């Protein structure tokens, strides 16, 4: 029941927000998201660090077809559920100084998005997963297409086509798998039933690619990424935060949930290819990020590079790699939302995101400097921040599967420092520009967003075991299913 | 010693950082320096207590499990043994002096509080580095000191050049850090642990042969990390640029402590290195090359801090040279004496710069000994010490290194002597040009000339005493000493002796040792005499930049290495970035979209085979409904 509430609360809150007046929409949305967060904290507190599915629910849905409306939370889901519940209220709070037209629709879409994301991360039925996976696209599409920048129509169309196209492959794969299952009542779409299928290697190869394309577009993995920088840049910042902070994790999550346990033989054949593509993405994205001037686009490319490492870690099929990916998803979500928020703060005061036009901001803003610095350090994986634990485990995972790929992936710690320090220096240090002449330091509501994020940066960096312990039994269990 | 007291050693500076950092602009200025210094002194005092209660056995204090993954547990824990104790004394001892000095030096700076906060944070990380009981804790400290170095090099962040220097330092260190990290992964892979005691125990008894590929690779990777942190070829160019930071930072971080982390790491891992003479040969070669290259650059530098910076790079090279011949104790000995005299030289330079109203070019100085007597005398002691003149500290440590090199390889020894001559020359050039002759600065500067306040001169005097007598801690047998340091550190190398006894053989008879000492001192005296005749007798002032031609110009321009790196790495990567962004992305778009259309076409054909399956229709319908509903909500 708790799990179902995770999906229903934002849905109901969204509907209420939609039918209220614009001027009270954001407060309502925040209340809704706050209730959701409380619920998620309750779940976190009650969650047992075992491999079992917990807080499950199951209702018959299309009984004749063996499809049910079923969900639950296990070690793979728990951190993503927490991430979604933690970030959404902060994303809503981050908009408080920024008026958006048609506010009630705007905030309702954010809440619908949260509901869909919760659905994706908790669904235990493959078709329910697919439904939420697609449904999550819709609110964010409208957020980008209606409230985005100048190029929004062209850019969001590309985004939509790419992701829908990818999902079709997944649908084909799911339908195929569904027909391979057998139970007393005929076929079933329970994900756990898919785990028991032992398809031959060739079939697994096909299904691997169908899943891979769907999830690779979502993350994105090289070379399926070209929709991403434009979409991140053109979307209104709250939508960018949802996309980068949470939505891209659907792809990584999908690989862990479906690809690893269902098509191990496909992985045996194609896993290295997937790692190679992911690692290319790390280097390629990082190198492009080095010369970007638009701060949002720079973080977009950095995000592309970071998710490449998560993907490589997952495809390494090692405990380190998968655990690293799970904790890095949480860390990256926190850091990237914080960084996008700081870019939004700078943009709202200077009306520019071009780092060449900025500079010297730190002279007037001790608070902003500290928060920005901490989030940047998290992002470049400095030890004792959240980014380090994830990158350490991920790189070790990739290293275990292939030493050379581990070394190449490792260049992320060098290149990441190159582009992040450049971003920081060009915007914060140096002489003041005409744009930054009268820069005001953080307001109370801005700090209210950044403080929780920074607390998480240190909590995860100092005591990562409080998260790793939750997920390890489930991950070990999952990896044991991989028999070649 | 009780664990809770040990934890205070890194904790005190962290508390100092927190108070000065969070209270920045609120803590009264008079208190800031006191808090920072008391935190450091406290750590020093506890370190002394730890020293006194040390019973010869390594003590491991575990705080909690930091990262657990499968069978691997990385505890957050500290280890106190001979090596960490020695490093503790240097770091907190010299650190305390430099904190006190900074109260005077940074007094007029608007970022006074920030400065002390960063300095304390640096100490915290440096203490983690030397106290950690495993490689990952060392790595925390390792990267943390890199961060503080970055923050302090770019301390005056309005100046773009300083910011660039800071960034360069961080990035170059990160290149080394990648090597370190891969080394750690390999240690985990082969030893299943990162804890020193466990790894070294397994290495010593694990049946590894000499030059086992695994061990050679691990040690080489770790050494890449050391190259970055300890500024060795090819990753040394960040250190001279790091002089952009305030001078106490140069003294503490970029001379006495952080940059010796690489040496610490090799000594810490001595069992592994002793198993890998191949790596040791490489370490020694890099060290010698760095010692010579940096010393030769130092011959023609005119910025007082740049001379000292290249001198630091060069002296670090000597330490690696020592490590390369298995003379771990000698390297540590030189780390300690170097910490004394190089910190003193930097602080003296700071006192000069302070008096000269931020002038750093020695061509605009001269005759300062009359105006800055304390600075002059202490600086002179340090100069004699670094030049290796008997009986100052540098003589003992450098001589010990060269004696071990002589046992190992006569040509390397001769080159080492050459480097020592260059060292003596450029240091005395610096001393003579700065403190002797006539004052060459502006009248305004001359009017302002003054000796520094007591907070600054007191640390100078303490360091001068240490620079003078520091050598006594390890007097060789041949001079009637007891090699106290060698005996103290001996237990650290038991594993090494067990796996590779030949590394520790080789013994010089006394007459050879006397001759070697004579040669090295004689060489230094010769170089000093040459410097004297040039800069005192002939009163030569180094030429203006435009008048320098030929090879000296190459030296003055540091062999154009920065330019080389710029055109080989920096510019091509920037160019590549532009090309990938403007063209690569477009190309990928075209290819992926093209392939997409093809697959879509094929997929469409395939899907025809699936007709009649209710599942697909149901879901197509559900998605349709969701889409329609969403449209209806939006278009009211």
């Amino acid at each position: 029941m708790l799990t179902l509430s995770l999906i229903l609360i934002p849905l109901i809150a969204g509907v209420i927000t939609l039918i209220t007046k614009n001027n009270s929409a954001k407060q309502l949305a925040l209340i809704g998201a706050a209730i959701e967060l409380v619920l998620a904290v309750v779940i976190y507190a009650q969650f047992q660090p075992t491999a079992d599915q917990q807080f499950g629910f199951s209702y018959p849905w299309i009984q004749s077809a063996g499809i049910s409306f079923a969900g639950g939370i296990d070690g793979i889901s728990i951190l993503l559920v927490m991430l979604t519940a933690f970030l959404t209220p902060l994303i809503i709070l981050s908009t408080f100084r920024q008026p958006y037209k048609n506010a009630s629709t705007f905030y309702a879409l954010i809440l619908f998005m949260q509901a869909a994301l919760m659905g994706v991360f908790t669904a235990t039925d493959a078709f329910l997963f697919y439904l939420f996976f697609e449904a999550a696209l819709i609110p964010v599409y409208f957020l980008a297409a209606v409230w985005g920048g100048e190029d929004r129509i062209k850019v969001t169309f590309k985004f939509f086509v790419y992701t829908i196209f990818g999902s079709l492959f997944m649908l084909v794969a799911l339908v195929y798998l569904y027909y391979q299952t057998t139970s007393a009542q005929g076929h079933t779409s329970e994900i756990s039933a898919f785990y028991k299928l032992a398809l031959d290697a060739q079939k697994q190869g096909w299904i691997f690619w169908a899943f891979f394309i769907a999830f690779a577009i979502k993350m994105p993995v090289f070379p399926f990424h070209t929709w991403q920088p434009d979409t991140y840049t053109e979307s209104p910042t709250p939508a960018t935060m949802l996309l980068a902070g949470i939505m891209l994790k659907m792809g990584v999550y999908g690989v862990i949930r479906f690809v690893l346990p269902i098509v191990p033989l496909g992985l045996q054949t194609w896993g290295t290819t997937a790692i190679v593509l992911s690692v290319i993405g790390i280097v390629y994205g990082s190198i492009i990020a080095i010369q970007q001037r638009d701060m949002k686009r720079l973080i977009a490319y950095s995000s592309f590079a970071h998710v490449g490492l998560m993907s490589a870690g997952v495809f390494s099929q090692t405990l380190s790699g998968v655990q690293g990916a799970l904790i890095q998803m949480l860390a990256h979500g926190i850091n990237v939302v914080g960084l996008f928020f700081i870019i939004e703060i700078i943009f709202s005061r200077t009306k520019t995101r071009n780092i060449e036009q900025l500079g010297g901001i730190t002279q007037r803003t001790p608070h902003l400097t500290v928060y920005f610095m901490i989030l940047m350090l998290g992002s470049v994986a400095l030890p004792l921040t959240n980014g380090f634990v994830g990158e350490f485990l991920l790189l070790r995972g990739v290293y275990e599967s292939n030493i050379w790929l581990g070394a190449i992936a490792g260049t992320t710690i060098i290149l990441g420092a190159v582009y992040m320090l450049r971003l920081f220096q060009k915007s914060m240090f140096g002489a003041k520009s005409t744009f930054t002449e009268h820069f005001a330091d953080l307001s109370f509501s801005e700090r209210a967003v950044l403080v929780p994020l920074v607390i998480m940066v240190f909590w995860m960096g100092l005591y990562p075991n409080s998260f790793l312990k939750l997920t390890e039994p489930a991950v070990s269990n999952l990896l044991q299913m991989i028999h070649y | 010693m009780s664990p809770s007291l040990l934890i205070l050693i890194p904790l005190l500076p962290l508390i100092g950082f927190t108070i000065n950092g969070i209270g920045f602009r609120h803590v009264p200025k008079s208190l800031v320096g006191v808090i920072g210094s008391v935190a450091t002194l406290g750590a020093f005092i506890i370190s002394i207590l730890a020293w006194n209660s040390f019973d010869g056995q390594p003590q491991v204090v575990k705080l909690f499990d930091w990262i657990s993954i499968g069978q691997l547990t990385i505890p957050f824990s500290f280890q106190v043994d001979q090596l960490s104790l020695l490093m503790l004394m240097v770091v907190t001892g010299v650190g305390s002096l430099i904190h006190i000095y900074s109260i005077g030096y940074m007094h007029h700076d608007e970022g006074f509080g920030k400065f002390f906060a960063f300095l304390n944070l640096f100490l915290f990380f440096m203490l983690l580095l030397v106290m950690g009981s495993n490689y990952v804790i060392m790595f925390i400290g390792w990267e943390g000191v890199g961060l503080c170095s970055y923050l302090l090099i770019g301390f005056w962040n309005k100046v773009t050049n300083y910011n660039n220097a800071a960034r360069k330092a961080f990035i170059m260190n990160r290149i080394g850090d990648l090597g370190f990290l891969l080394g750690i992964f390999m240690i985990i892979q082969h030893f299943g642990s990162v804890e020193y005691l466990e790894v070294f125990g397994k290495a010593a008894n694990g049946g590894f042969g000499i030059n086992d590929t695994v061990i050679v690779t691990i040690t080489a990777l770790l050494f890449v990390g050391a190259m970055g942190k300890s500024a060795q070829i090819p990753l040394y160019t960040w250190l001279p640029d790091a002089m952009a930071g305030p001078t106490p930072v140069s003294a503490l971080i970029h001379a006495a402590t952080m940059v010796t982390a690489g040496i610490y790491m090799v000594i810490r891992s001595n069992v592994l290195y002793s198993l890998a003479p191949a790596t040791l040969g490489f370490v020694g070669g890099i060290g010698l090359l760095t010692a010579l290259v940096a010393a030769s650059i130092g011959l023609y530098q005119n910025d007082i801090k740049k001379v000292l910076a290249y001198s630091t790079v060069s002296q670090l090279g000597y330490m690696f040279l020592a490590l390369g011949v298995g003379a771990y104790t000698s390297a540590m000995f030189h780390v300690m004496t170097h910490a004394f005299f190089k910190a003193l030289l930097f602080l003296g330079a700071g006192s000069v710069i302070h008096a000269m109203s931020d002038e750093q070019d020695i061509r605009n100085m001269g005759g300062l000994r009359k105006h800055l007597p304390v600075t002059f005398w202490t600086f002179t002691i340090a100069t004699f010490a670094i030049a290796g003149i008997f009986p100052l500290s540098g003589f003992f440590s450098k001589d010990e290194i060269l004696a071990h090199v002589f046992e190992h390889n006569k040509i390397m020894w001769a080159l080492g002597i050459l480097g020592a001559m260059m060292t003596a020359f450029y240091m005395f050039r610096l001393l003579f040009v700065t403190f002797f002759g006539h004052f060459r600065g502006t009248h305004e500067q001359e009017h302002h000339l003054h000796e520094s306040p007591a907070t600054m001169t007191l640390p100078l005097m303490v360091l001068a005493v240490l620079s003078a007598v520091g050598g006594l801690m390890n007097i060789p047998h041949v001079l009637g000493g007891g090699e106290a340091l060698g005996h103290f550190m001996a237990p650290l190398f038991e594993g090494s002796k067990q796996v590779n006894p030949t590394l520790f053989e080789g013994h010089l008879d006394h007459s050879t040792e006397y001759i070697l000492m004579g040669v090295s001192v004689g060489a230094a005296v010769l170089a000093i005499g040459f410097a004297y005749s040039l800069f005192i007798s002939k009163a030569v002032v180094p030429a203006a930049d435009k008048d320098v031609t030929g090879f000296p110009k190459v030296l003055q321009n540091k062999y154009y290495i920065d330019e080389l790196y710029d055109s080989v790495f920096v510019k091509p990567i920037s160019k590549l970035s532009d090309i990938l962004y403007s063209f690569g992305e477009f190309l990928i778009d075209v290819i992926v979209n093209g392939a997409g259309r093809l697959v879509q076409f094929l997929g469409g054909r395939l899907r025809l085979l699936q007709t009649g399956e209710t599942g697909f229709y149901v879901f197509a319908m559900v998605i349709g409904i969701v889409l329609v509903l969403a449209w209806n909500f939006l278009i009211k």
Side-chain angles (χ1 to χ4, degrees), chain B residues 136-268:
Chain B
V136 185
I137 304 295
M138 196 204 286
F139 192 76
I140 299 178
W142 192 268
E143 289 242 301
V145 292
L147 167 70
C148 298
S149 164
Y150 164 80
L151 292 171
L152 285 161
I153 295 168
F155 183 74
W156 291 303
N157 61 42
K158 288 178 197 169
V159 188
T160 301
N161 277 344
Y162 296 179
N163 295 327
N164 290 343
R167 198 151 51 105
K168 180 177 176 179
F170 194 89
I171 290 164
M172 275 210 158
N173 271 290
R174 272 271 161 125
I175 296 173
D177 292 357
L178 176 57
F180 191 169
L181 203 57
L182 293 171
I184 292 176
F185 293 152
M186 204 155 175
I187 289 172
I188 296 173
Q189 184 190 349
H190 292 280
F191 296 97
S193 171
V194 286
E195 283 283 299
Y196 299 141
L197 293 177
E198 216 175 320
V199 172
F200 303 145
K202 284 183 187 167
N205 306 308
F208 290 101
I210 296 291
N211 279 337
D212 185 286
T213 319
V214 167
I215 306 288
V216 170
T217 316
I218 288 175
T219 49
L221 286 170
L222 292 180
F223 180 60
V224 172
M227 283 175 175
K229 192 69 53 196
S230 297
Q232 296 297 291
I233 287 173
L235 299 177
Y236 70 97
T237 60
W238 66 270
L239 184 57
D241 286 16
M243 297 302 127
T247 307
V249 171
S250 309
L252 179 62
I253 301 183
H254 302 120
T257 56
M258 182 186 85
V259 292
T260 62
I263 291 106
Y264 165 80
M265 181 224 259
V266 176
I267 300 176
R268 178 56 83 197

Side-chain angles (χ1 to χ4, degrees), chain A residues 132-168:
Chain A
F132 283 124
F133 195 84
E134 292 299 299
L137 180 60
I138 295 157
V140 81
Y141 169 78
F142 284 113
L143 285 172
V146 178
W147 287 272
E150 280 171 20
D151 265 345
R152 61 181 187 273
I153 301 301
K154 199 178 103 203
V155 165
T156 45
F157 182 70
K158 187 173 173 183
F159 163 58
F160 197 78
V161 169
Y162 255 80
T163 42
I164 281 285
F165 176 77
S167 308
L168 285 175

Side-chain angles (χ1 to χ4, degrees), chain B residues 11-35:
Chain B
L11 200 60
L12 283 175
L14 186 65
I15 293 169
F17 161 73
T18 315
I19 296 173
N20 280 334
I22 292 178
F24 182 45
R25 291 183 183 177
H26 303 293
V27 181
K29 196 168 176 177
S30 53
L31 217 58
V32 166
V34 176
I35 292 169

Side-chain angles (χ1 to χ4, degrees), chain A residues 5 114 322 361 418:
Chain A
S5 311
Q114 186 182 25
V322 179
I361 294 175
V418 174

Side-chain angles (χ1 to χ4, degrees), chain A residues 225-226 284 287 301 399 425, chain B residues 157 164 167 189 577 585 589:
Chain A
H225 64 276
T226 55
Y284 179 92
I287 286 181
Y301 275 105
Y399 167 93
Q425 177 182 334
Chain B
N157 61 42
N164 290 343
R167 198 151 51 105
Q189 184 190 349
S577 174
E585 290 285 86
D589 236 8

Side-chain angles (χ1 to χ4, degrees), chain A residues 67-370:
Chain A
I67 298 171
S68 47
F69 194 86
I73 296 172
D74 66 358
I76 315 283
S77 317
I78 181 75
L79 293 189
L80 291 160
V81 166
M82 293 308 298
L83 177 73
T84 310
F86 176 70
L87 288 182
T88 309
L90 295 178
I91 291 172
I92 292 170
L93 190 59
S94 80
T95 63
F96 267 42
R97 280 167 59 107
Q98 179 81 18
Y100 287 95
K101 63 179 166 47
N102 295 329
S104 53
T105 317
F106 181 83
Y107 289 102
L109 285 171
I110 293 180
L111 290 167
F112 290 149
M113 178 81 183
Q114 186 182 25
L117 289 163
M118 284 298 186
V120 168
F121 297 135
T122 58
T124 53
D125 181 282
F127 287 121
L128 189 62
F129 171 85
Y130 182 78
L131 176 75
F132 283 124
F133 195 84
E134 292 299 299
L137 180 60
I138 295 157
V140 81
Y141 169 78
F142 284 113
L143 285 172
V146 178
W147 287 272
E150 280 171 20
D151 265 345
R152 61 181 187 273
I153 301 301
K154 199 178 103 203
V155 165
T156 45
F157 182 70
K158 187 173 173 183
F159 163 58
F160 197 78
V161 169
Y162 255 80
T163 42
I164 281 285
F165 176 77
S167 308
L168 285 175
F169 283 89
M170 177 165 66
L171 184 60
V172 171
L174 291 179
V175 170
Y176 180 83
L177 290 169
Y178 168 74
Y179 279 108
Q180 302 302 311
T181 57
T182 46
S183 68
Q185 292 82 33
H187 302 304
T188 172
S189 57
E190 270 176 48
I191 298 176
S192 57
F194 290 0
Y195 290 178
K196 295 183 190 108
L197 298 174
L199 303 172
D200 66 52
Q202 197 191 1
K203 289 201 185 93
Q204 290 202 12
W206 285 107
I207 293 171
F208 171 86
W209 279 104
F211 276 128
F212 180 74
I213 289 175
F215 297 135
I217 287 174
K218 210 71 166 189
M219 289 193 255
V221 168
F222 180 91
F224 305 104
H225 64 276
T226 55
W227 63 268
Q228 186 250 33
D230 288 338
T231 310
Y232 281 18
T233 313
E234 288 298 323
S235 298
T237 299
T240 311
M241 291 172 172
L242 286 169
L243 278 165
I246 314 173
M247 199 169 163
L248 71 76
K249 278 80 188 178
M250 286 172 25
V252 185
Y253 175 80
V255 174
I256 301 174
R257 182 65 80 196
F258 288 92
V259 178
L260 297 192
I262 296 175
V263 288
L265 293 174
L267 266 173
Q268 193 185 20
T269 320
W270 298 110
T272 310
T273 312
I275 300 180
V276 169
L277 287 176
S278 308
V279 170
I280 290 174
I282 298 171
V283 179
Y284 179 92
S286 300
I287 286 181
I288 289 185
I290 290 174
Q291 288 285 81
Q292 293 307 309
R293 292 190 184 86
D294 184 321
M295 294 195 285
K296 240 174 150 180
R297 195 172 286 273
L298 193 155
I299 298 299
Y301 275 105
S302 98
S303 186
F304 165 44
H306 280 140
V307 78
L309 182 56
M310 294 176 219
S311 165
V314 170
F315 282 113
S316 77
Q317 309 163 55
T318 56
L319 183 60
S320 247
V322 179
Q323 281 281 73
L326 285 175
I327 198 151
Q328 186 71 343
M329 280 198 265
L330 190 57
H332 177 263
I334 286 159
N335 295 341
V336 85
V337 164
L339 287 170
F340 276 125
F341 183 46
I342 279 168
I343 290 169
E344 182 67 15
I345 288 170
I346 293 175
F347 180 74
S348 69
R349 286 163 172 67
T350 62
K351 303 300 167 213
T352 180
R353 292 193 310 254
N354 183 343
I355 51 175
E356 302 293 342
Q357 295 175 335
L358 298 170
I361 294 175
T362 183
Q363 292 167 34
R364 300 176 62 94
T365 59
H367 289 110
L368 176 68
T369 308
V370 171

Side-chain angles (χ1 to χ4, degrees), chain B residues 456-499:
Chain B
M456 289 168 67
T457 51
L458 213 67
L460 291 181
M461 292 187 260
V462 176
L463 284 168
V465 172
L466 289 170
S467 301
V469 305
L472 302 182
M473 67 181 139
N474 203 28
I475 301 174
H477 291 304
V478 61
L479 296 178
E483 294 190 353
L485 184 70
H487 285 293
F488 179 69
M489 290 181 73
L492 292 168
F493 310 120
E494 274 163 14
S496 282
K497 282 184 180 138
Q498 183 188 330
V499 297

